[in-house]
Amino acid sequence: MPWLRHLHLSLGDHPVSPVVAYNFHEALQLRSVVLEKFAPSNVELPWAQLTSMTLSDVYRSEYLRLLRQTSSNLLHCALSIIFESYEEGDPCDIALPRLESLTLKDGNSKWAPTQQLRDVFIVPALRSLRISESFL
């Protein structure tokens, strides 16, 4: 897969992780990913080289882990966040120095995101921000 530039991966609706994780470390040209459902926790990617990442229906623990790994080169990011009924740790500062566009969506409307999304996105290069009404 040395020429792969974009990956769109969705791993069903079942919370049980597969025994074998998907490894794409040899995808040296990979710049853009769309990961849905349980894909983010079951895939190994060259995270630092990504410039565009979409995470659909992910929990806070997942997006925090992945944003830390992609922060240096990420230009475009879209997160559809699943909120849970309990608080998950302290708020974090998430520095994305080159990020130009950020989209935040509520992956479920079961819990009030205004009480859950306490993380601070530090995005000095941001040009475009799209957020769901439920975040306001």
Side-chain angles (χ1 to χ4, degrees), residues 58-112:
V58 295
Y59 293 97
R60 180 177 182 261
S61 59
E62 287 298 314
Y63 81 73
L64 287 176
R65 177 179 66 85
L66 299 180
L67 286 177
R68 286 185 188 112
Q69 295 179 67
T70 60
S71 66
S72 60
N73 289 316
L74 203 60
L75 300 175
H76 309 284
C77 182
L79 302 174
S80 173
I81 304 165
I82 297 175
F83 294 96
E84 298 181 278
S85 61
Y86 59 89
E87 291 289 326
E88 295 182 25
D90 295 327
C92 295
D93 287 351
I94 302 166
L96 302 166
R98 297 183 62 204
L99 194 72
E100 294 178 3
S101 69
L102 176 62
T103 301
L104 297 172
K105 294 199 284 189
D106 180 8
N108 66 349
S109 56
K110 191 173 182 181
W111 309 108

Side-chain angles (χ1 to χ4, degrees), residues 5-22:
R5 295 185 61 78
H6 176 79
L7 173 68
H8 187 142
L9 182 63
S10 178
L11 294 180
D13 295 327
H14 198 273
V16 178
S17 300
V19 175
V20 177
Y22 299 91

